[in-house]
Amino acid sequence: MVINVHTKDREYPVYVERGVLKRAKELIGREGHVFIVSDDGVPAVWLDCLKEQYPEAPVHIFENGEGSKNLHVWNEILEDMLEHNVSRNDTVIALGGGVVGDMAGFAAASYMRGIHYINIPTTTLSQIDSSIGGKTAVDLKGRKNCVGAFWQPDMVLVDPDTLSTLTPRHFRNGLAEAVKEGLIKDAELFELFESDEWKEHLDEIIGRSLIIKRDVVEKDERESGERKLLNFGHTFGHAYETYYGLNGYYHGECVAMGMMTVLENEEIRTRLKAVLEKLDLPFENDADPEETARLVRNDKKADHDKITIVQVQKIGQGILEEWTMADVERKLGL
Ligand SMILES: NC(=O)c1ccc[n+]([C@@H]2O[C@H](COP(=O)([O-])OP(=O)(O)OC[C@H]3O[C@@H](n4cnc5c(N)ncnc54)[C@H](O)[C@@H]3O)[C@@H](O)[C@H]2O)c1
Ligand SMILES: [Zn+2]
């Protein structure tokens, strides 16, 4: 399947296909040199597959984990690019999860005011959620994605085969975002998760999620209206992420809990809980309600006490609601 993304600056294809990593060079087909960025958690089998196609290409590997998503590691990548004489016409290829995509994307966005960038996401989360949208960033003093740029790739290669080496927890983590996409935009996608054979539909789950994200992002590149729908479960989710810290829950797990917190429709809550249980994703938590409310307020810098919340009253139709901090506190049982 090929999903074409049209943005203001660029048009690019997202290939979703088993084994597409083996065809990277054939598809990329670019003149000029490539510079590969990956991390040391990506299994050698995937990196070797890319290196075989680009035996001459420099490879920059950094230590895996969110802790590497900072300006120091970004600077090391840029210096390495300069040492290898990477030029304006060359291409950065990211091979890895969302951390690699964000780091390599931001390096490509900033090196010589922006060079070509190709993303090959290899985690469920990055395939479903970070391969479309053009957001690249690093964290600053613990604030996530504080410094970055919008920078579109030339091409994205999504190879579901690469997911086979993920830990079960990382594999499931990214699926929370697909469940979210189903709830806000695509009832059939949500229903795929309700079927007993959901795993057989993995490629369709990834493809449908990408189409939803593509459609939303094309309508609203800079996150003013429509794109806010993608934040379903994220207002409380981000609060949980901060509350439990770097070694607590993963992002998708926090989104799963955040969706359960915000959802008001009882029937949908029951159906979502059943799906999350099946996926072995958390649906409840023991975060302190007062602290959670404080984190929500901080995260949203609650504009005149108002925040925009995404709600779902009918599966497949997310809506935006204005809440006050009092509504947030009520939700948390305060
Ligand atoms: N730019 C965006 O739009 C966007 C969207 C969502 C998330 N993100 C960012 O993505 C990051 C999270 O991404 P993530 O969940 O992919 O985490 P990650 O990049 O840290 O990857 C998780 C772990 O899996 C390893 N890994 C990668 N591919 C593997 C494979 N095929 N087999 C085995 N192990 C593999 C990595 O080395 C890492 O240890 C966060 O920093 C988040 O801010 C960005
Ligand atoms: Zn998310």
Side-chain angles (χ1 to χ4, degrees), residues 39-43 46 64-66 69 96-100 102 122-123 125-126 129-130 132 135-136 144-145 162-163 165-167 170 173 213:
D39 73 31
D40 61 5
V42 176
W46 311 126
N64 75 91
E66 184 73 24
K69 223 175 95 167
V99 168
V100 170
D102 278 7
T122 60
T123 62
L125 187 97
S126 58
D129 201 40
S130 62
I132 293 181
K135 286 185 180 177
T136 72
K144 275 202 54 118
N145 303 326
T162 59
L163 304 179
T165 49
L166 282 176
T167 62
H170 269 299
N173 175 51
K213 185 143 187 193

PDB file of all heavy atoms in Angstrom, residues 39-43 46 64-66 69 96-100 102 122-123 125-126 129-130 132 135-136 144-145 162-163 165-167 170 173 213, ligand 1:
ATOM      1  N   ASP A  39      19.783   3.861  16.477  1.00  0.00           N
ATOM      2  CA  ASP A  39      20.258   3.752  17.862  1.00  0.00           C
ATOM      3  C   ASP A  39      20.643   2.313  18.174  1.00  0.00           C
ATOM      4  O   ASP A  39      20.337   1.395  17.405  1.00  0.00           O
ATOM      5  CB  ASP A  39      19.284   4.384  18.864  1.00  0.00           C
ATOM      6  CG  ASP A  39      18.003   3.579  19.082  1.00  0.00           C
ATOM      7  OD1 ASP A  39      18.027   2.341  18.970  1.00  0.00           O
ATOM      8  OD2 ASP A  39      16.976   4.213  19.381  1.00  0.00           O
ATOM      9  N   ASP A  40      21.328   2.133  19.322  1.00  0.00           N
ATOM     10  CA  ASP A  40      21.905   0.816  19.594  1.00  0.00           C
ATOM     11  C   ASP A  40      20.877  -0.204  20.092  1.00  0.00           C
ATOM     12  O   ASP A  40      21.237  -1.321  20.462  1.00  0.00           O
ATOM     13  CB  ASP A  40      23.083   0.938  20.580  1.00  0.00           C
ATOM     14  CG  ASP A  40      22.665   1.510  21.921  1.00  0.00           C
ATOM     15  OD1 ASP A  40      21.448   1.728  22.135  1.00  0.00           O
ATOM     16  OD2 ASP A  40      23.542   1.746  22.773  1.00  0.00           O
ATOM     17  N   GLY A  41      19.599   0.170  20.078  1.00  0.00           N
ATOM     18  CA  GLY A  41      18.561  -0.798  20.443  1.00  0.00           C
ATOM     19  C   GLY A  41      17.908  -1.416  19.218  1.00  0.00           C
ATOM     20  O   GLY A  41      17.149  -2.379  19.321  1.00  0.00           O
ATOM     21  N   VAL A  42      18.195  -0.876  18.052  1.00  0.00           N
ATOM     22  CA  VAL A  42      17.615  -1.425  16.819  1.00  0.00           C
ATOM     23  C   VAL A  42      18.414  -2.676  16.447  1.00  0.00           C
ATOM     24  O   VAL A  42      19.636  -2.596  16.292  1.00  0.00           O
ATOM     25  CB  VAL A  42      17.669  -0.383  15.670  1.00  0.00           C
ATOM     26  CG1 VAL A  42      17.168  -0.981  14.365  1.00  0.00           C
ATOM     27  CG2 VAL A  42      16.863   0.857  16.031  1.00  0.00           C
ATOM     28  N   PRO A  43      17.763  -3.832  16.342  1.00  0.00           N
ATOM     29  CA  PRO A  43      18.510  -5.060  16.059  1.00  0.00           C
ATOM     30  C   PRO A  43      19.351  -4.982  14.791  1.00  0.00           C
ATOM     31  O   PRO A  43      18.947  -4.359  13.800  1.00  0.00           O
ATOM     32  CB  PRO A  43      17.406  -6.109  15.917  1.00  0.00           C
ATOM     33  CG  PRO A  43      16.260  -5.566  16.694  1.00  0.00           C
ATOM     34  CD  PRO A  43      16.327  -4.076  16.517  1.00  0.00           C
ATOM     35  N   TRP A  46      18.129  -5.409  11.035  1.00  0.00           N
ATOM     36  CA  TRP A  46      17.507  -4.327  10.239  1.00  0.00           C
ATOM     37  C   TRP A  46      18.558  -3.339   9.751  1.00  0.00           C
ATOM     38  O   TRP A  46      18.520  -2.894   8.603  1.00  0.00           O
ATOM     39  CB  TRP A  46      16.412  -3.618  11.052  1.00  0.00           C
ATOM     40  CG  TRP A  46      15.456  -4.570  11.702  1.00  0.00           C
ATOM     41  CD1 TRP A  46      15.113  -4.635  13.020  1.00  0.00           C
ATOM     42  CD2 TRP A  46      14.711  -5.633  11.069  1.00  0.00           C
ATOM     43  NE1 TRP A  46      14.221  -5.652  13.259  1.00  0.00           N
ATOM     44  CE2 TRP A  46      13.958  -6.285  12.078  1.00  0.00           C
ATOM     45  CE3 TRP A  46      14.613  -6.114   9.760  1.00  0.00           C
ATOM     46  CZ2 TRP A  46      13.122  -7.375  11.813  1.00  0.00           C
ATOM     47  CZ3 TRP A  46      13.792  -7.212   9.493  1.00  0.00           C
ATOM     48  CH2 TRP A  46      13.056  -7.811  10.513  1.00  0.00           C
ATOM     49  N   ASN A  64      20.224   4.127  22.826  1.00  0.00           N
ATOM     50  CA  ASN A  64      18.763   4.129  22.709  1.00  0.00           C
ATOM     51  C   ASN A  64      18.106   4.695  23.960  1.00  0.00           C
ATOM     52  O   ASN A  64      18.674   4.700  25.047  1.00  0.00           O
ATOM     53  CB  ASN A  64      18.246   2.717  22.393  1.00  0.00           C
ATOM     54  CG  ASN A  64      18.286   1.795  23.582  1.00  0.00           C
ATOM     55  OD1 ASN A  64      17.326   1.672  24.344  1.00  0.00           O
ATOM     56  ND2 ASN A  64      19.443   1.166  23.790  1.00  0.00           N
ATOM     57  N   GLY A  65      16.906   5.194  23.790  1.00  0.00           N
ATOM     58  CA  GLY A  65      16.122   5.693  24.924  1.00  0.00           C
ATOM     59  C   GLY A  65      15.823   7.176  24.820  1.00  0.00           C
ATOM     60  O   GLY A  65      16.557   7.939  24.173  1.00  0.00           O
ATOM     61  N   GLU A  66      14.748   7.579  25.497  1.00  0.00           N
ATOM     62  CA  GLU A  66      14.321   8.986  25.484  1.00  0.00           C
ATOM     63  C   GLU A  66      15.422   9.902  26.011  1.00  0.00           C
ATOM     64  O   GLU A  66      15.534  11.064  25.612  1.00  0.00           O
ATOM     65  CB  GLU A  66      13.042   9.119  26.335  1.00  0.00           C
ATOM     66  CG  GLU A  66      12.409  10.486  26.361  1.00  0.00           C
ATOM     67  CD  GLU A  66      11.695  10.877  25.053  1.00  0.00           C
ATOM     68  OE1 GLU A  66      11.295   9.982  24.288  1.00  0.00           O
ATOM     69  OE2 GLU A  66      11.571  12.102  24.814  1.00  0.00           O
ATOM     70  N   LYS A  69      17.312  11.986  23.610  1.00  0.00           N
ATOM     71  CA  LYS A  69      16.646  12.966  22.744  1.00  0.00           C
ATOM     72  C   LYS A  69      16.946  14.375  23.237  1.00  0.00           C
ATOM     73  O   LYS A  69      16.090  15.074  23.759  1.00  0.00           O
ATOM     74  CB  LYS A  69      15.131  12.693  22.742  1.00  0.00           C
ATOM     75  CG  LYS A  69      14.519  12.797  21.361  1.00  0.00           C
ATOM     76  CD  LYS A  69      13.061  12.411  21.348  1.00  0.00           C
ATOM     77  CE  LYS A  69      12.138  13.581  21.477  1.00  0.00           C
ATOM     78  NZ  LYS A  69      10.740  13.248  21.150  1.00  0.00           N
ATOM     79  N   GLY A  96      14.757   3.444  12.939  1.00  0.00           N
ATOM     80  CA  GLY A  96      14.540   3.194  14.360  1.00  0.00           C
ATOM     81  C   GLY A  96      13.170   3.672  14.809  1.00  0.00           C
ATOM     82  O   GLY A  96      12.286   3.943  13.987  1.00  0.00           O
ATOM     83  N   GLY A  97      13.026   3.794  16.123  1.00  0.00           N
ATOM     84  CA  GLY A  97      11.743   4.212  16.685  1.00  0.00           C
ATOM     85  C   GLY A  97      11.560   5.714  16.610  1.00  0.00           C
ATOM     86  O   GLY A  97      12.279   6.423  15.878  1.00  0.00           O
ATOM     87  N   GLY A  98      10.625   6.210  17.391  1.00  0.00           N
ATOM     88  CA  GLY A  98      10.302   7.631  17.368  1.00  0.00           C
ATOM     89  C   GLY A  98      11.453   8.512  17.814  1.00  0.00           C
ATOM     90  O   GLY A  98      11.586   9.646  17.337  1.00  0.00           O
ATOM     91  N   VAL A  99      12.291   8.000  18.695  1.00  0.00           N
ATOM     92  CA  VAL A  99      13.426   8.805  19.150  1.00  0.00           C
ATOM     93  C   VAL A  99      14.386   9.041  17.988  1.00  0.00           C
ATOM     94  O   VAL A  99      14.802  10.177  17.726  1.00  0.00           O
ATOM     95  CB  VAL A  99      14.146   8.124  20.347  1.00  0.00           C
ATOM     96  CG1 VAL A  99      15.467   8.802  20.626  1.00  0.00           C
ATOM     97  CG2 VAL A  99      13.251   8.162  21.588  1.00  0.00           C
ATOM     98  N   VAL A 100      14.687   7.992  17.245  1.00  0.00           N
ATOM     99  CA  VAL A 100      15.593   8.140  16.092  1.00  0.00           C
ATOM    100  C   VAL A 100      14.957   9.053  15.048  1.00  0.00           C
ATOM    101  O   VAL A 100      15.612   9.955  14.505  1.00  0.00           O
ATOM    102  CB  VAL A 100      15.935   6.757  15.473  1.00  0.00           C
ATOM    103  CG1 VAL A 100      16.666   6.923  14.149  1.00  0.00           C
ATOM    104  CG2 VAL A 100      16.763   5.934  16.443  1.00  0.00           C
ATOM    105  N   ASP A 102      12.746  11.448  15.437  1.00  0.00           N
ATOM    106  CA  ASP A 102      12.737  12.851  15.879  1.00  0.00           C
ATOM    107  C   ASP A 102      14.131  13.468  15.826  1.00  0.00           C
ATOM    108  O   ASP A 102      14.308  14.619  15.412  1.00  0.00           O
ATOM    109  CB  ASP A 102      12.203  12.948  17.320  1.00  0.00           C
ATOM    110  CG  ASP A 102      10.678  12.931  17.359  1.00  0.00           C
ATOM    111  OD1 ASP A 102      10.062  12.714  16.301  1.00  0.00           O
ATOM    112  OD2 ASP A 102      10.113  13.136  18.446  1.00  0.00           O
ATOM    113  N   THR A 122      10.667   1.793  12.912  1.00  0.00           N
ATOM    114  CA  THR A 122      10.738   0.348  13.183  1.00  0.00           C
ATOM    115  C   THR A 122      10.049  -0.062  14.483  1.00  0.00           C
ATOM    116  O   THR A 122      10.255  -1.167  14.962  1.00  0.00           O
ATOM    117  CB  THR A 122      12.213  -0.119  13.231  1.00  0.00           C
ATOM    118  OG1 THR A 122      12.868   0.618  14.281  1.00  0.00           O
ATOM    119  CG2 THR A 122      12.926   0.097  11.917  1.00  0.00           C
ATOM    120  N   THR A 123       9.287   0.848  15.089  1.00  0.00           N
ATOM    121  CA  THR A 123       8.474   0.454  16.246  1.00  0.00           C
ATOM    122  C   THR A 123       7.002   0.661  15.884  1.00  0.00           C
ATOM    123  O   THR A 123       6.693   1.449  14.975  1.00  0.00           O
ATOM    124  CB  THR A 123       8.788   1.298  17.503  1.00  0.00           C
ATOM    125  OG1 THR A 123       8.471   2.662  17.225  1.00  0.00           O
ATOM    126  CG2 THR A 123      10.239   1.191  17.920  1.00  0.00           C
ATOM    127  N   LEU A 125       4.806   2.216  17.575  1.00  0.00           N
ATOM    128  CA  LEU A 125       4.451   3.611  17.841  1.00  0.00           C
ATOM    129  C   LEU A 125       4.905   4.531  16.708  1.00  0.00           C
ATOM    130  O   LEU A 125       4.141   5.359  16.220  1.00  0.00           O
ATOM    131  CB  LEU A 125       5.048   4.095  19.165  1.00  0.00           C
ATOM    132  CG  LEU A 125       4.545   5.479  19.526  1.00  0.00           C
ATOM    133  CD1 LEU A 125       3.386   5.401  20.498  1.00  0.00           C
ATOM    134  CD2 LEU A 125       5.614   6.380  20.061  1.00  0.00           C
ATOM    135  N   SER A 126       6.151   4.367  16.290  1.00  0.00           N
ATOM    136  CA  SER A 126       6.655   5.287  15.259  1.00  0.00           C
ATOM    137  C   SER A 126       6.005   5.009  13.907  1.00  0.00           C
ATOM    138  O   SER A 126       5.777   5.934  13.131  1.00  0.00           O
ATOM    139  CB  SER A 126       8.177   5.222  15.169  1.00  0.00           C
ATOM    140  OG  SER A 126       8.626   3.923  14.878  1.00  0.00           O
ATOM    141  N   ASP A 129       2.364   6.430  14.516  1.00  0.00           N
ATOM    142  CA  ASP A 129       2.128   7.792  14.986  1.00  0.00           C
ATOM    143  C   ASP A 129       3.145   8.841  14.586  1.00  0.00           C
ATOM    144  O   ASP A 129       2.819  10.023  14.561  1.00  0.00           O
ATOM    145  CB  ASP A 129       1.993   7.789  16.509  1.00  0.00           C
ATOM    146  CG  ASP A 129       1.271   9.011  16.989  1.00  0.00           C
ATOM    147  OD1 ASP A 129       0.290   9.409  16.328  1.00  0.00           O
ATOM    148  OD2 ASP A 129       1.685   9.596  17.997  1.00  0.00           O
ATOM    149  N   SER A 130       4.396   8.451  14.300  1.00  0.00           N
ATOM    150  CA  SER A 130       5.333   9.555  14.078  1.00  0.00           C
ATOM    151  C   SER A 130       5.855   9.631  12.651  1.00  0.00           C
ATOM    152  O   SER A 130       6.703  10.452  12.350  1.00  0.00           O
ATOM    153  CB  SER A 130       6.480   9.520  15.096  1.00  0.00           C
ATOM    154  OG  SER A 130       7.220   8.370  14.974  1.00  0.00           O
ATOM    155  N   ILE A 132       4.043  10.334   9.945  1.00  0.00           N
ATOM    156  CA  ILE A 132       3.374  11.400   9.194  1.00  0.00           C
ATOM    157  C   ILE A 132       3.166  12.570  10.141  1.00  0.00           C
ATOM    158  O   ILE A 132       2.832  12.368  11.306  1.00  0.00           O
ATOM    159  CB  ILE A 132       2.001  10.925   8.667  1.00  0.00           C
ATOM    160  CG1 ILE A 132       2.197   9.840   7.606  1.00  0.00           C
ATOM    161  CG2 ILE A 132       1.189  12.087   8.100  1.00  0.00           C
ATOM    162  CD1 ILE A 132       0.910   9.309   7.010  1.00  0.00           C
ATOM    163  N   LYS A 135       6.647  16.471  12.391  1.00  0.00           N
ATOM    164  CA  LYS A 135       7.170  17.044  13.636  1.00  0.00           C
ATOM    165  C   LYS A 135       8.505  16.402  13.980  1.00  0.00           C
ATOM    166  O   LYS A 135       8.611  15.171  13.990  1.00  0.00           O
ATOM    167  CB  LYS A 135       6.204  16.766  14.786  1.00  0.00           C
ATOM    168  CG  LYS A 135       4.951  17.589  14.756  1.00  0.00           C
ATOM    169  CD  LYS A 135       4.169  17.287  16.022  1.00  0.00           C
ATOM    170  CE  LYS A 135       2.892  18.064  16.101  1.00  0.00           C
ATOM    171  NZ  LYS A 135       2.130  17.700  17.304  1.00  0.00           N
ATOM    172  N   THR A 136       9.505  17.227  14.235  1.00  0.00           N
ATOM    173  CA  THR A 136      10.792  16.713  14.690  1.00  0.00           C
ATOM    174  C   THR A 136      11.170  17.528  15.920  1.00  0.00           C
ATOM    175  O   THR A 136      10.805  18.703  16.004  1.00  0.00           O
ATOM    176  CB  THR A 136      11.893  16.900  13.631  1.00  0.00           C
ATOM    177  OG1 THR A 136      12.228  18.286  13.558  1.00  0.00           O
ATOM    178  CG2 THR A 136      11.458  16.422  12.257  1.00  0.00           C
ATOM    179  N   LYS A 144       9.492  17.778  27.207  1.00  0.00           N
ATOM    180  CA  LYS A 144       9.474  16.982  25.983  1.00  0.00           C
ATOM    181  C   LYS A 144       9.263  17.841  24.736  1.00  0.00           C
ATOM    182  O   LYS A 144       8.443  18.753  24.734  1.00  0.00           O
ATOM    183  CB  LYS A 144       8.352  15.937  26.081  1.00  0.00           C
ATOM    184  CG  LYS A 144       8.840  14.673  26.808  1.00  0.00           C
ATOM    185  CD  LYS A 144       8.002  13.459  26.486  1.00  0.00           C
ATOM    186  CE  LYS A 144       7.878  13.205  25.019  1.00  0.00           C
ATOM    187  NZ  LYS A 144       8.416  11.961  24.544  1.00  0.00           N
ATOM    188  N   ASN A 145       9.999  17.515  23.703  1.00  0.00           N
ATOM    189  CA  ASN A 145       9.839  18.134  22.380  1.00  0.00           C
ATOM    190  C   ASN A 145       9.859  19.661  22.430  1.00  0.00           C
ATOM    191  O   ASN A 145       9.113  20.326  21.715  1.00  0.00           O
ATOM    192  CB  ASN A 145       8.515  17.668  21.743  1.00  0.00           C
ATOM    193  CG  ASN A 145       8.454  16.164  21.629  1.00  0.00           C
ATOM    194  OD1 ASN A 145       9.469  15.505  21.401  1.00  0.00           O
ATOM    195  ND2 ASN A 145       7.276  15.600  21.809  1.00  0.00           N
ATOM    196  N   THR A 162       9.573  -5.463  10.553  1.00  0.00           N
ATOM    197  CA  THR A 162      10.565  -5.025  11.549  1.00  0.00           C
ATOM    198  C   THR A 162       9.999  -5.091  12.977  1.00  0.00           C
ATOM    199  O   THR A 162      10.748  -5.110  13.947  1.00  0.00           O
ATOM    200  CB  THR A 162      11.070  -3.587  11.281  1.00  0.00           C
ATOM    201  OG1 THR A 162       9.958  -2.683  11.306  1.00  0.00           O
ATOM    202  CG2 THR A 162      11.781  -3.483   9.946  1.00  0.00           C
ATOM    203  N   LEU A 163       8.671  -5.128  13.070  1.00  0.00           N
ATOM    204  CA  LEU A 163       8.059  -5.152  14.413  1.00  0.00           C
ATOM    205  C   LEU A 163       8.263  -6.500  15.111  1.00  0.00           C
ATOM    206  O   LEU A 163       8.052  -6.614  16.318  1.00  0.00           O
ATOM    207  CB  LEU A 163       6.557  -4.841  14.312  1.00  0.00           C
ATOM    208  CG  LEU A 163       6.196  -3.526  13.615  1.00  0.00           C
ATOM    209  CD1 LEU A 163       4.681  -3.355  13.555  1.00  0.00           C
ATOM    210  CD2 LEU A 163       6.832  -2.337  14.339  1.00  0.00           C
ATOM    211  N   THR A 165      10.788  -8.021  16.041  1.00  0.00           N
ATOM    212  CA  THR A 165      11.847  -8.117  17.055  1.00  0.00           C
ATOM    213  C   THR A 165      11.574  -7.243  18.284  1.00  0.00           C
ATOM    214  O   THR A 165      12.374  -7.213  19.218  1.00  0.00           O
ATOM    215  CB  THR A 165      13.211  -7.690  16.448  1.00  0.00           C
ATOM    216  OG1 THR A 165      13.028  -6.446  15.765  1.00  0.00           O
ATOM    217  CG2 THR A 165      13.728  -8.722  15.467  1.00  0.00           C
ATOM    218  N   LEU A 166      10.467  -6.526  18.265  1.00  0.00           N
ATOM    219  CA  LEU A 166      10.164  -5.649  19.415  1.00  0.00           C
ATOM    220  C   LEU A 166       9.814  -6.470  20.650  1.00  0.00           C
ATOM    221  O   LEU A 166       9.273  -7.579  20.526  1.00  0.00           O
ATOM    222  CB  LEU A 166       8.958  -4.766  19.091  1.00  0.00           C
ATOM    223  CG  LEU A 166       9.164  -3.547  18.210  1.00  0.00           C
ATOM    224  CD1 LEU A 166       7.804  -2.891  17.941  1.00  0.00           C
ATOM    225  CD2 LEU A 166      10.104  -2.552  18.871  1.00  0.00           C
ATOM    226  N   THR A 167      10.056  -5.905  21.823  1.00  0.00           N
ATOM    227  CA  THR A 167       9.553  -6.556  23.036  1.00  0.00           C
ATOM    228  C   THR A 167       8.024  -6.496  22.957  1.00  0.00           C
ATOM    229  O   THR A 167       7.464  -5.559  22.364  1.00  0.00           O
ATOM    230  CB  THR A 167      10.005  -5.812  24.309  1.00  0.00           C
ATOM    231  OG1 THR A 167       9.456  -4.485  24.260  1.00  0.00           O
ATOM    232  CG2 THR A 167      11.519  -5.742  24.421  1.00  0.00           C
ATOM    233  N   HIS A 170       6.700  -3.042  23.935  1.00  0.00           N
ATOM    234  CA  HIS A 170       6.837  -1.985  22.933  1.00  0.00           C
ATOM    235  C   HIS A 170       5.889  -2.221  21.761  1.00  0.00           C
ATOM    236  O   HIS A 170       5.354  -1.281  21.183  1.00  0.00           O
ATOM    237  CB  HIS A 170       8.279  -1.883  22.425  1.00  0.00           C
ATOM    238  CG  HIS A 170       9.105  -0.909  23.210  1.00  0.00           C
ATOM    239  ND1 HIS A 170       8.789   0.422  23.291  1.00  0.00           N
ATOM    240  CD2 HIS A 170      10.214  -1.080  23.966  1.00  0.00           C
ATOM    241  CE1 HIS A 170       9.665   1.044  24.059  1.00  0.00           C
ATOM    242  NE2 HIS A 170      10.545   0.154  24.484  1.00  0.00           N
ATOM    243  N   ASN A 173       2.470  -1.075  22.975  1.00  0.00           N
ATOM    244  CA  ASN A 173       2.453   0.349  23.295  1.00  0.00           C
ATOM    245  C   ASN A 173       1.934   1.211  22.136  1.00  0.00           C
ATOM    246  O   ASN A 173       1.054   2.044  22.308  1.00  0.00           O
ATOM    247  CB  ASN A 173       3.877   0.754  23.695  1.00  0.00           C
ATOM    248  CG  ASN A 173       4.029   2.238  23.944  1.00  0.00           C
ATOM    249  OD1 ASN A 173       3.253   2.820  24.693  1.00  0.00           O
ATOM    250  ND2 ASN A 173       5.007   2.844  23.313  1.00  0.00           N
ATOM    251  N   LYS A 213      -4.311   9.719   9.989  1.00  0.00           N
ATOM    252  CA  LYS A 213      -3.383  10.783  10.370  1.00  0.00           C
ATOM    253  C   LYS A 213      -3.092  11.674   9.158  1.00  0.00           C
ATOM    254  O   LYS A 213      -3.054  12.900   9.270  1.00  0.00           O
ATOM    255  CB  LYS A 213      -2.095  10.195  10.965  1.00  0.00           C
ATOM    256  CG  LYS A 213      -1.174  11.288  11.465  1.00  0.00           C
ATOM    257  CD  LYS A 213      -0.413  10.974  12.716  1.00  0.00           C
ATOM    258  CE  LYS A 213       0.332  12.211  13.194  1.00  0.00           C
ATOM    259  NZ  LYS A 213       1.327  11.958  14.208  1.00  0.00           N
TER     260      LYS A 213
HETATM  261  N1  LIG B   1       7.285  13.248  15.670  1.00  0.00           N
HETATM  262  C1  LIG B   1       6.122  12.764  16.021  1.00  0.00           C
HETATM  263  O1  LIG B   1       5.098  13.057  15.418  1.00  0.00           O
HETATM  264  C2  LIG B   1       6.033  11.812  17.161  1.00  0.00           C
HETATM  265  C3  LIG B   1       4.838  11.138  17.414  1.00  0.00           C
HETATM  266  C4  LIG B   1       4.805  10.232  18.457  1.00  0.00           C
HETATM  267  C5  LIG B   1       5.938  10.008  19.224  1.00  0.00           C
HETATM  268  N2  LIG B   1       7.068  10.677  18.969  1.00  0.00           N
HETATM  269  C6  LIG B   1       8.272  10.460  19.775  1.00  0.00           C
HETATM  270  O2  LIG B   1       8.665   9.115  19.638  1.00  0.00           O
HETATM  271  C7  LIG B   1       9.365   8.703  20.802  1.00  0.00           C
HETATM  272  C8  LIG B   1       8.871   7.339  21.227  1.00  0.00           C
HETATM  273  O3  LIG B   1       9.027   6.439  20.150  1.00  0.00           O
HETATM  274  P1  LIG B   1       9.137   4.867  20.372  1.00  0.00           P
HETATM  275  O4  LIG B   1       8.050   4.405  21.243  1.00  0.00           O
HETATM  276  O5  LIG B   1       9.327   4.287  19.042  1.00  0.00           O
HETATM  277  O6  LIG B   1      10.443   4.745  21.286  1.00  0.00           O
HETATM  278  P2  LIG B   1      11.976   4.500  20.937  1.00  0.00           P
HETATM  279  O7  LIG B   1      12.379   5.189  19.709  1.00  0.00           O
HETATM  280  O8  LIG B   1      12.722   4.811  22.186  1.00  0.00           O
HETATM  281  O9  LIG B   1      12.031   2.921  20.671  1.00  0.00           O
HETATM  282  C9  LIG B   1      11.756   2.032  21.704  1.00  0.00           C
HETATM  283  C10 LIG B   1      12.883   1.005  21.858  1.00  0.00           C
HETATM  284  O10 LIG B   1      12.769   0.038  20.825  1.00  0.00           O
HETATM  285  C11 LIG B   1      14.041  -0.139  20.195  1.00  0.00           C
HETATM  286  N3  LIG B   1      13.741  -0.565  18.836  1.00  0.00           N
HETATM  287  C12 LIG B   1      13.467   0.208  17.752  1.00  0.00           C
HETATM  288  N4  LIG B   1      13.095  -0.582  16.716  1.00  0.00           N
HETATM  289  C13 LIG B   1      13.160  -1.854  17.143  1.00  0.00           C
HETATM  290  C14 LIG B   1      12.890  -3.112  16.546  1.00  0.00           C
HETATM  291  N5  LIG B   1      12.417  -3.206  15.281  1.00  0.00           N
HETATM  292  N6  LIG B   1      13.063  -4.241  17.283  1.00  0.00           N
HETATM  293  C15 LIG B   1      13.478  -4.149  18.568  1.00  0.00           C
HETATM  294  N7  LIG B   1      13.743  -3.001  19.199  1.00  0.00           N
HETATM  295  C16 LIG B   1      13.582  -1.861  18.483  1.00  0.00           C
HETATM  296  C17 LIG B   1      14.733   1.185  20.360  1.00  0.00           C
HETATM  297  O11 LIG B   1      16.121   1.036  20.270  1.00  0.00           O
HETATM  298  C18 LIG B   1      14.283   1.581  21.760  1.00  0.00           C
HETATM  299  O12 LIG B   1      15.075   0.974  22.731  1.00  0.00           O
HETATM  300  C19 LIG B   1       9.140   9.789  21.841  1.00  0.00           C
HETATM  301  O13 LIG B   1      10.308  10.533  21.986  1.00  0.00           O
HETATM  302  C20 LIG B   1       8.034  10.640  21.242  1.00  0.00           C
HETATM  303  O14 LIG B   1       8.120  11.986  21.641  1.00  0.00           O
HETATM  304  C21 LIG B   1       7.153  11.561  17.941  1.00  0.00           C
END
